[in-house]
């Protein structure tokens, strides 16, 4: 029987190969050997490594492994190009972005084929997802460039951005990085992943053809060391990284104390929740997209199936039936569902993880049928019989492996879903709108898809919670990540505060009397320090003005625990939070003279004005509580994305020494307005202004645990807070060294940090009365909801 007859017989798909000729012709035209693209010119190839087609093993081209000198040359070119590029009118930059988008679209098939040959992903995906989304990103950001001045007044670009991307969506990740950076007026040095440099190099030709000014985009290829050289270069103003959490942590450490901007989009272990009332067939199709799209090599892959127990058996049977129909094979075949993994090391890594999981009790199902004998192919796999502690449940596999667990109640689903160090994305399926919209806010993830999955658009922010990183790409939030307020860029080192010498050498027994010792405030109660020690507070003349508790690690831990148990503050109606803050301001107002006198005693300055400013500031954030809203995006598909503003969670605040009351009022009120709970370390030199505050908090209906105050040595308390996994964000006002320490210590759970780095923040300025602070106190979750026809 001939082939066509056989197909009639089996009703199977026939082969539909995409021709690689044009991609090969392009590679040949380049001699299959590439240098870097620096300052608008190709460098001579240096030491090279081979880029291979993972589906066949065939070498495609030799790629130069960038050295520190290459990186330096690229950064210099980007620096030189920056003034002119950032000086263009927004619409002029927009014209270039628009032209790039058009060229990507015009050559979309070439890009798609080259991407598939280099990465192994099915042509169906590179053709229908990667490349159109990359073009859309440039189109969308052309518009942002044009409207920048109106939408982000008094903001400026960072300068030179170092961008490091992974191999799973090579051109798309390039677009996510380069489009917003250029729209904002930055210049860039981008390092593609070592496995997949080719479409970035083809992109260079697009930049040349649209006449992009030299040095605006520089591409340096290479391995991890090349990336590290870019991260560590002293003249880079911002690092944007997408890749593994492991490398993200290295980069967090390396950039600590440098003042470089940082955004990290890291790993995930995203839950895919199917409730018993879901449209099961749709949920199965969604699941195929969630875990077998790009062979599962997707940071937001729905890799943890959580299915309601009542439908578990039926649903798993449907999944298995569908798996049997998935076609694994030549990625250039248009009817193939699952292509090749990116490299043999990945295949081995996944096999090792599977072995570990099986040794721990997991049961693996793989459908019958053949996969190619050569190349980096794996069958789709379904893993069952696992506990939450199984390696395959806790580790990111980054391959075509789905892990299934069941739950009984919606509460259990949420608990299991959030039981991970990651928080990139989550999917849920239910025909019950009440259930779906009840669960979505409870999922700790930057993106939630309802009755859909893996939806992306340039207008909708994407990024993680927890160890999935911080910062967003796409949308307004993504644009904001490439801009700084002008005043922030011009901050100067803070003048040193006068050093107070105690009038007499302090004898611990010489206190003012017991009633002068201010207590700490933990979980809504006045608390004595665990250490059993107090520390003296001196006025500017060196005289003792009071004492505060010497807080230690244990006091911080207790405070964090109380703060975490008060997190329902974040879901209290914003209107109610506003009322509490108004009440707080009023109560401070009643006691203004007392607070002013206390400030004067500690600082020697007239405190009346600072108290007045503090009251005004708390009023300002009370007013903001119910106004700093999210947005609804209309991506070009049958859905809306609700960009919901959520609190970070628990924020550790180490308050500034200058303007001790105003600083605390500003930071505290902004954090509270947005629904965060706080562990506050008041100024070390003037803590009494803040310890008095607990009496005001008590009379203002602030729920227990929402604000906790621990006095003591700022640096050691800051370190404990920064290292604590129960703290989600850390605001530190103090020295450059202290800031570096906080940024380094924050690496354990990748909490967001905001540090003053010894610079002079003038809290009396109106910059501190609005969205600058609100954006730091929040993160955006995008909830995708099917909508319209
Ligand atoms: P993945 O798991 O996606 O391969 P990696 O985090 O290993 O993620 O790689 C993502 C990118 O980070 C790649 O471009 C890689 O070369 C680069 N990279 C790896 N190690 C480092 C490092 N220490 N510093 C900077 N970049 C690095």
């Amino acid at each position: 029987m001939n082939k066509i007859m056989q197909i009639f017989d089996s009703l199977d798909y026939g082969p539909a190969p995409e021709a690689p000729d044009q991609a090969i012709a392009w590679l040949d035209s380049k001699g299959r050997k590439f240098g870097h693209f620096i300052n608008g010119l190709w460098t001579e190839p240096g030491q090279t490594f081979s880029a291979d087609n993972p589906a066949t093993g065939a070498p495609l081209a030799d790629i130069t492994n960038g050295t520190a000198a290459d990186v330096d040359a690229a950064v210099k070119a980007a620096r030189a190009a920056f003034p002119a590029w950032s000086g263009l009118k927004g619409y002029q930059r927009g014209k270039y972005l628009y032209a790039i988008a058009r060229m990507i679209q015009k050559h979309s098939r070439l890009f798609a084929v080259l991407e598939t040959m280099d990465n192994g992903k099915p042509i169906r995906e590179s053709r229908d997802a990667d490349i159109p989304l990359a073009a859309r990103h440039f189109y969308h950001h052309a518009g942002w460039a044009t409207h920048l001045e109106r939408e982000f007044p008094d903001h400026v670009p960072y300068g030179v951005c170092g961008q490091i991307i992974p191999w799973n969506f090579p051109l798309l990740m390039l677009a996510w990085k380069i489009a917003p950076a250029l729209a904002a007026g930055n210049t860039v040095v981008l390092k593609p992943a070592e496995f997949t440099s080719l479409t970035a190099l083809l992109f260079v030709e697009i930049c040349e053809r649209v006449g992009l000014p030299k040095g605006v985009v520089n591409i340096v290829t290479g391995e991890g060391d090349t990336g590290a050289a870019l991260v560590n270069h002293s003249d880079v103003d911002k690092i944007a990284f997408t890749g593994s959490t492991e490398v993200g942590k290295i980069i967090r450490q390396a950039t600590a104390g440098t003042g470089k901007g940082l955004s990290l989009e890291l790993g995930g272990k995203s839950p895919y929740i199917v409730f018993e009332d879901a449209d099961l067939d749709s949920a199965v199709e969604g699941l195929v997209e969630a875990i077998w799209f790009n062979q599962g090599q997707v940071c937001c892959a729905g890799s943890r199936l959580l299915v309601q127990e009542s439908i578990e058996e039926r649903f798993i049977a449907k999944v298995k039936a569908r798996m049997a129909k998935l076609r694994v094979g030549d990625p250039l075949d248009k009817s193939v569902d699952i292509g090749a993994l990116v490299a043999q090391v990945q295949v081995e890594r996944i096999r090792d993880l599977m072995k570990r999981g099986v040794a721990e009790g997991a049961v693996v199902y793989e459908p019958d049928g053949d996969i190619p004998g050569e190349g980096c192919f794996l069958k789709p796999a379904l893993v069952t019989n696992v506990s939450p502690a199984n390696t395959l449940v806790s580790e990111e596999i980054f391959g075509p492996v789905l892990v299934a667990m069941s739950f009984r109640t919606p509460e259990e689903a949420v608990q299991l879903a959030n039981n991970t160090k990651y928080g990139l994305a989550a999917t849920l399926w239910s025909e019950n709108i009440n259930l779906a919209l009840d669960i979505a806010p409870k999922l700790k993830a930057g993106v939630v898809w309802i009755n859909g999955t893996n939806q992306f658009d340039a207008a909708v922010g994407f990024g993680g919670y927890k160890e999935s990183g911080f910062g967003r790409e796409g949308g307004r939030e993504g644009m904001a990540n490439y801009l700084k307020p002008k005043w922030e860029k011009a901050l100067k080192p803070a003048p040193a505060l006068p050093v107070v010498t105690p009038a007499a050498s302090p004898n611990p027994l010489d206190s003012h009397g017991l009633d002068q010792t201010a207590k700490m405030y933990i979980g809504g109660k006045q608390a004595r320090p665990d250490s059993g020690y107090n520390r003296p507070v001196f006025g500017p003349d060196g005289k003792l003005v009071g004492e505060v508790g010497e807080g230690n690690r244990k006091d911080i831990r207790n405070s964090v625990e109380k703060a975490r148990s008060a997190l329902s503050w974040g879901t209290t109606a914003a209107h109610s939070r506003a009322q509490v803050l108004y009440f707080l301001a009023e109560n401070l107002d009643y006691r203004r003279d007392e607070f002013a006198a206390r400030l004067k005693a500690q600082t020697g300055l007239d405190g009346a004005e600072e108290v007045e400013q503090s009251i005004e500031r708390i009023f300002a954030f009370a007013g903001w509580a119910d106004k700093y809203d999210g947005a609804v995006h209309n991506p070009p598909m049958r859905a809306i994305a609700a960009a919901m503003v959520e609190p970070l969670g628990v924020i550790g605040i180490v308050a500034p020494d200058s303007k001790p009351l105003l600083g605390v009022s500003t930071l505290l009120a902004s954090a509270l307005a947005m629904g965060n709970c706080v562990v506050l370390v008041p100024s070390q030199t003037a803590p009494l202004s803040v310890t008095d505050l607990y009496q005001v908090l008590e009379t203002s209906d602030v729920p227990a645990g929402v604000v906790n105050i621990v006095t003591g040595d700022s640096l050691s308390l800051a370190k404990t807070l920064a290292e604590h996994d129960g703290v989600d964000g850390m605001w530190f006002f103090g020295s450059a060294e202290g800031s570096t320490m906080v940024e380094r210590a924050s690496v354990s759970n990748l909490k967001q940090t905001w540090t003053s780095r010894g610079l002079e923040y003038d809290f009396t300025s109106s910059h501190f009365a609005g969205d600058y602070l609100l954006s730091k106190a929040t993160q955006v979750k995008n909830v995708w909801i099917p909508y319209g026809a």
Side-chain angles (χ1 to χ4, degrees), residues 139-153:
Y139 277 128
H140 179 78
H141 286 88
W144 274 120
T146 308
H147 295 296
L148 211 60
E149 279 167 34
R150 219 177 350 267
E151 292 297 310
F152 293 93

Side-chain angles (χ1 to χ4, degrees), residues 312-601:
E312 183 183 9
E313 211 172 300
R314 199 150 54 97
F315 189 72
I316 294 289
K318 279 179 184 282
V319 173
K320 285 183 176 169
R322 185 67 182 85
M323 285 170 77
K325 298 274 183 205
L326 291 172
R327 288 172 298 273
V328 183
D330 176 8
L332 277 177
D333 184 332
K334 290 189 267 291
S335 55
V336 149
D337 299 305
I338 299 181
L341 282 98
V342 77
Q344 198 55 38
V345 289
Q346 284 301 112
V347 174
E348 297 309 328
R349 200 186 134 265
I350 294 164
R351 286 201 177 121
D352 284 348
L353 280 170
M354 302 272 282
K355 272 189 210 141
R356 271 168 60 191
V358 168
E360 290 161 16
V363 174
V364 177
Y365 165 81
E366 289 177 354
D368 294 337
D370 296 330
I371 60 170
E374 302 280 301
C376 305
F377 293 93
L378 279 177
K379 282 188 176 183
L382 169 67
V383 176
T384 52
N385 200 38
V386 284
S387 71
N390 190 290
T391 303
L392 296 174
V393 179
S394 59
E395 294 292 313
E396 184 179 32
I397 300 173
F398 227 63
V401 184
L402 176 67
V403 181
M405 296 168 77
S406 67
F407 64 88
R408 288 193 178 156
T409 62
E411 292 70 36
E412 197 191 348
V414 170
Q415 196 263 327
L416 281 170
N418 290 337
N419 184 19
T420 166
K421 61 185 177 185
Y422 297 113
L424 194 51
T427 300
L428 70 97
W429 289 79
S430 167
E431 290 296 289
N432 179 344
I433 187 172
N434 298 319
L435 179 66
L437 297 181
D438 177 51
I439 298 298
K442 294 178 179 159
L443 298 172
K444 297 282 168 239
V447 184
V448 175
W449 291 293
I450 295 175
N451 293 342
T453 205
N454 273 352
Q455 291 158 295
F456 307 101
D457 185 54
V460 185
F462 181 90
Y465 283 22
K466 303 198 281 187
E467 290 189 35
S468 291
F470 44 76
R472 295 287 179 268
E473 296 188 292
R476 175 179 285 274
E477 308 92 87
M479 271 314 299
N481 277 205
Y482 279 98
L483 292 159
K484 265 188 172 192
K486 221 181 251 170
W487 61 263
E488 195 186 58
K489 222 173 166 181
L491 284 173
K492 300 271 179 311
L497 288 175
V499 180
V500 173
T501 332
S505 77
N507 177 339
L509 299 179
D510 285 346
S511 71
H512 263 207
L514 286 178
D515 56 336
Q516 287 291 321
T517 303
K519 305 248 179 6
M520 303 195 291
Y521 186 61
I522 300 177
K525 295 204 179 82
Q526 300 182 24
R528 288 185 196 285
D530 169 75
S531 68
Y533 288 112
N534 295 308
R535 58 162 47 216
V537 180
F538 299 104
D541 52 2
K543 295 225 176 80
L544 191 70
V545 292
E547 290 191 321
V548 291
E550 185 74 84
N552 66 12
R553 313 173 72 84
K554 206 155 167 212
D555 300 309
I556 292 286
R557 282 192 210 125
N558 289 342
S559 300
V560 173
E561 194 184 312
K562 296 295 179 193
R564 291 218 78 79
S565 61
L567 281 174
S568 59
W569 174 248
T571 49
T572 305
H575 167 81
S576 309
R577 292 201 300 267
Q579 297 310 306
V580 170
L581 286 173
Y582 280 126
F583 199 15
L584 183 65
E586 275 172 7
N587 285 331
L588 184 57
D589 202 352
Y590 290 136
R591 298 177 58 179
R592 62 165 66 220
D593 295 343
E594 196 187 317
F595 271 85
R598 197 59 124 173
L599 277 171
K600 186 155 179 22

Side-chain angles (χ1 to χ4, degrees), residues 164-167 191-194 223-224 227-228 231 241-244 247 251:
I164 299 168
I165 56 173
W167 42 259
K191 190 198 87 65
E194 47 272 47
E223 300 178 339
V231 167
F241 172 78
T242 299
S244 60
V247 175
I251 292 177

